[in-house]
Amino acid sequence: MRPVMKISDRDVLLVIDVQNDFCTGGALAVPGGEKVIPAINRIAQRFGNMVLTQDWHPGDHVSFASNHTGKQPFQTIELDYGTQVLWPPHCVQGSSGAEFHRDLDVTRASLVVRKGFRRGIDSYSALVENDKRTPTGLLGYLRERELKTVFVAGLALDFCVRFSAEDARKAGFEVVVIEEACRGIDLDGSVAAAHRSFRDLGISIVGAEAFL
């Protein structure tokens, strides 16, 4: 038997982008995306601190393939902050696709962080946008609340979950990824790359059974 994870008031559950457009039938559906919801809802009951993130793009966002003549989704372009994957339009501000999935229990959340609302910068991470300079405000919140360990769940494992976990670790937090409460896109080996990164940075990976 694995030990049950002890959760304290210095721990926070960070739930990434469980929105309609990332679930089955959505504009950028992660395979089985909505299947993370029962695990997240159950695990959240163990936490006194919970933060949700929400992709929140303007319609003319730079990451949308439709805003670049001749470009197709999943191709890349070079921006001043580096290589940017082009996505189908998704999580457009005020749209039903941008809403949290109806089955996600949002009532325990003390904060919702909207990201990707600046037209010219994509934002995978919950802490820092893709230029690696523009903060979302979450880092200040975590430090002001004197939180120590960030448990990460949600969508997608190999993009927004990965970037959020990496940035929290680099900022000095202990970080735990709850793998069974995540799903990945797996674009050109991106899930395996995420696992290598977690290992290299000392980010722990646990299963949902640790919270039973």
Side-chain angles (χ1 to χ4, degrees), residues 18 39 43 56-57 78 87 98 104 124-125 138 147 160 166-167 170 184 187 196 201:
V18 183
I43 291 165
W56 195 250
H57 297 306
E78 293 300 318
W87 306 105
L104 181 69
Y124 298 156
S125 170
L138 179 57
L147 299 170
C160 296
E166 289 173 349
D167 285 344
K170 291 170 185 175
L187 198 61
R196 287 193 299 271
L201 289 172

Side-chain angles (χ1 to χ4, degrees), residues 89-181:
H90 64 279
C91 297
V92 174
Q93 296 169 0
S95 69
S96 60
E99 294 174 2
F100 292 116
H101 193 285
R102 66 180 182 276
D103 293 337
L104 181 69
D105 181 4
V106 302
T107 60
R108 305 181 71 86
S110 55
L111 180 70
V112 174
V113 176
R114 285 177 167 170
K115 59 189 180 67
F117 58 83
R118 293 179 174 87
R119 181 200 164 275
I121 313 174
D122 208 3
S123 187
Y124 298 156
S125 170
L127 286 84
V128 184
E129 298 190 0
N130 284 13
D131 62 356
K132 300 299 184 186
R133 293 191 305 273
T134 304
T136 66
L138 179 57
L139 180 56
Y141 174 86
L142 297 175
R143 287 177 171 162
E144 287 287 334
R145 293 284 312 280
E146 298 183 347
L147 299 170
K148 298 296 184 186
T149 303
V150 180
F151 289 78
V152 192
L155 306 171
L157 174 72
D158 38 344
F159 284 92
C160 296
V161 169
R162 173 186 174 177
F163 278 63
S164 300
E166 289 173 349
D167 285 344
R169 185 74 184 109
K170 291 170 185 175
F173 295 91
E174 293 297 319
V175 180
V176 179
V177 173
I178 309 168
E179 187 165 36
E180 288 168 55

